[in-house]
Amino acid sequence: MLMGGVISSNSSLNSCKERTNNVDINVLNACLEASKQKAKKGLTFLSIVSSTSPFIGLFGTVVSILVAFSHMGNNTSLSLVAPAISEALIATAIGILVAIPAYSFHQILSSRYETLISILKMQRDFLVND
């Protein structure tokens, strides 16, 4: 990070600066892109999990209710339908329980990713103007 005009030794861009004698905007942009790819790793997976898990739960709900109705026939009693409906609601709950933490962590990590990229861009600009 920029601390009093000094770039932290932990910076991804600092390693680029140390590897070359010429601090070039193209080299720093390439390092910035590499840092973006590394920092973004896993965000796509979290996005997929958080967006699809409610639908998987809903699919389980629909299948369980269809099975319950197919077993009913002419005999309709609450004791026959209730366990299947309960199973269907459990499928929905599991889908939601997976989606909420995945979505929350995705949002947290996306925010941190944007902050990191902003800091790296400031560092790049500092190195180019140095």
Side-chain angles (χ1 to χ4, degrees):
M1 286 192 213
L2 289 173
M3 292 186 243
V6 177
I7 293 184
S8 169
S9 61
N10 294 334
S11 172
S12 298
L13 296 181
N14 194 39
S15 61
C16 286
K17 181 182 173 186
E18 290 173 353
R19 282 186 263 158
T20 182
N21 293 335
N22 185 15
V23 179
D24 182 76
I25 186 72
N26 295 322
V27 171
L28 292 175
N29 283 336
C31 290
L32 180 63
E33 286 303 314
S35 297
K36 280 182 177 182
Q37 294 303 317
K38 187 176 179 183
K40 203 171 188 177
K41 189 176 182 180
L43 282 176
T44 303
F45 176 74
L46 276 177
S47 176
I48 291 169
V49 169
S50 67
S51 63
T52 59
S53 58
F55 296 111
I56 294 170
L58 182 61
F59 178 73
T61 303
V62 170
V63 168
S64 296
I65 289 176
L66 287 174
V67 168
F69 288 151
S70 71
H71 290 356
M72 278 180 27
N74 291 336
N75 234 353
T76 54
S77 69
L78 186 59
S79 63
L80 183 64
V81 179
I85 300 295
S86 173
E87 183 180 306
L89 292 175
I90 289 171
T92 303
I94 289 172
I96 292 170
L97 285 173
V98 170
I100 291 171
Y103 180 76
S104 298
F105 283 120
H106 178 268
Q107 291 301 104
I108 290 167
L109 292 176
S110 292
S111 174
R112 289 185 178 180
Y113 168 79
E114 292 300 325
T115 301
L116 172 68
I117 298 309
S118 175
I119 290 169
L120 289 174
K121 285 179 180 179
M122 285 188 302
Q123 290 179 350
R124 177 202 57 200
D125 295 343
F126 177 79
L127 287 171
V128 168
N129 294 325
D130 197 21

